[in-house]
Amino acid sequence: MLLPGLIIVLIYSYGPMFGIVIAFQKYIPAKGFFDSKWIGLANFKYFWSLPDTLQVFKNTIFIALMKIITGLIAPITIALLLNEVMHRYVKRGIQTLIYLPHFLSWVILGGIMIDILSPSSGIVNWALGIFGIKPIYFLGDNQWFPFVLIFSHLWKEFGFSTIIYLAALTSINPTLYEAAVIDGANRIKQTWHVTLPGMRPIIVLMATLSLGGILNAGFDQVFNLYSPQVYDSGDIIDTFVYRMGLIDAQYGPATAVGLLSSVVACIFISLTYYLAYRFAKYRIF
């Protein structure tokens, strides 16, 4: 039963790893892997010598880190609020509305964001105009663009993450709340002393596992929303590799960047699984 899945993994996940050799070659497609000249670490040195390299790493880490932080705070808050809703159909209706964007691609959501944030016809700038605020070019201003990425990602994903925390709430022993009420605890104190401690294992687990994506700021999202005007604040490693490799045909340096990013991600993933086991007793094997 496992054989078909293993074959697919070998073909599509491990087979392409042979292409890592391009990172150490002056790769020419006509010559292929075996006849292209080996240049050692020259591609890595070239990448670090580029003036945009440091900024790209800064953008990636900032955007990814902010997505992780907001992606923890918002779902926990919404889960706690939904837990207080007593009407079952209202609760289910809200859940459906907030996690629906998770199932839409960034091609669709990107078009929606462009329409909403348009400086001439977008509803956001129309609302700002009511208060006398001049139109803001959210997708073309380096000050605003990173926050557009962060909050649009939050809008898309927080509803789905909320389901995980709602599931964690169902595992809390109801007798703890009864004991808290007898001790005179109001709803806020019950949340602080019973609910949040009961959710702590899943919160720690989600936080530690999310660290593995610290260098993954979301290629699909950025690619559908960014433009040359916001490269200074919105260009991330994945889009930088895309332009370098597929647009500029610099296959060697692009592969070197991708390999470096993968190695760092592997280190973080290994660290996060250790932390998940250390603090949440979670392990895969």
Side-chain angles (χ1 to χ4, degrees):
M1 292 178 63
L2 291 175
L3 187 59
L6 289 174
I7 292 174
I8 291 175
V9 170
L10 289 173
I11 293 175
Y12 292 103
S13 296
Y14 286 89
M17 288 179 67
F18 182 73
I20 290 174
V21 299
I22 298 176
F24 307 96
Q25 293 178 329
K26 186 177 181 180
Y27 180 71
I28 300 175
K31 293 184 178 181
F33 296 124
F34 301 102
D35 295 327
S36 295
K37 182 181 178 182
W38 288 86
I39 56 176
L41 299 177
N43 286 324
F44 295 90
K45 295 178 181 178
Y46 169 74
F47 167 67
W48 286 110
S49 68
L50 294 175
D52 299 330
T53 298
L54 186 59
Q55 187 62 42
V56 167
F57 268 92
K58 287 181 178 178
N59 294 342
T60 304
I61 293 174
F62 173 75
I63 294 171
L65 191 60
M66 292 302 296
K67 284 182 178 180
I68 292 172
I69 294 172
T70 56
L72 286 172
I73 295 174
I76 294 172
T77 304
I78 298 301
L80 292 174
L81 294 175
L82 282 176
N83 191 50
E84 300 297 322
V85 177
M86 295 293 104
H87 198 289
R88 183 175 63 178
Y89 294 106
V90 173
K91 185 176 181 179
R92 289 182 177 179
I94 295 173
Q95 284 182 247
T96 302
L97 288 174
I98 63 176
Y99 78 65
L100 183 61
H102 170 81
F103 299 99
L104 300 178
S105 70
W106 273 113
V107 175
I108 297 173
L109 290 179
I112 294 173
M113 293 300 299
I114 291 171
D115 288 338
I116 291 176
L117 299 176
S118 171
S120 58
S121 59
I123 188 172
V124 174
N125 277 302
W126 172 81
L128 292 176
I130 295 176
F131 299 97
I133 301 175
K134 294 181 179 179
I136 300 173
Y137 193 6
F138 290 98
L139 298 179
D141 191 324
N142 281 300
Q143 292 183 342
W144 288 100
F145 186 71
F147 298 99
V148 171
L149 294 177
I150 293 164
F151 286 104
S152 60
H153 176 270
L154 179 64
W155 169 50
K156 183 178 187 296
E157 300 294 345
F158 86 95
F160 192 78
S161 301
T162 300
I163 299 174
I164 299 174
Y165 296 109
L166 284 172
L169 287 171
T170 61
S171 65
I172 300 175
N173 192 340
T175 59
L176 296 175
Y177 292 103
E178 296 172 3
V181 171
I182 293 173
D183 289 339
N186 56 26
R187 297 301 296 178
I188 296 177
K189 290 185 177 180
Q190 290 176 42
T191 300
W192 183 257
H193 295 288
V194 178
T195 306
L196 289 177
M199 295 174 64
R200 183 170 57 188
I202 192 65
I203 293 174
V204 172
L205 174 63
M206 297 299 292
T208 53
L209 294 182
S210 63
L211 291 176
I214 193 67
L215 290 184
N216 181 16
F219 172 80
D220 292 347
Q221 178 193 19
V222 178
F223 183 75
N224 282 284
L225 292 176
Y226 84 150
S227 63
Q229 293 172 283
V230 289
Y231 280 174
D232 288 344
S233 64
D235 199 16
I236 60 174
I237 293 175
D238 291 340
T239 54
F240 187 73
V241 170
Y242 165 79
R243 292 200 314 278
M244 182 183 290
L246 297 182
I247 304 285
D248 299 334
Q250 299 185 59
Y251 303 110
T255 306
V257 180
L259 177 58
L260 179 63
S261 177
S262 298
V263 170
V264 174
C266 182
I267 294 172
F268 271 100
I269 290 172
S270 301
L271 176 63
T272 55
Y273 277 114
Y274 168 76
L275 293 175
Y277 174 71
R278 177 70 175 78
F279 295 105
K281 301 301 179 184
Y282 171 85
R283 64 189 306 169
I284 295 179
F285 304 107

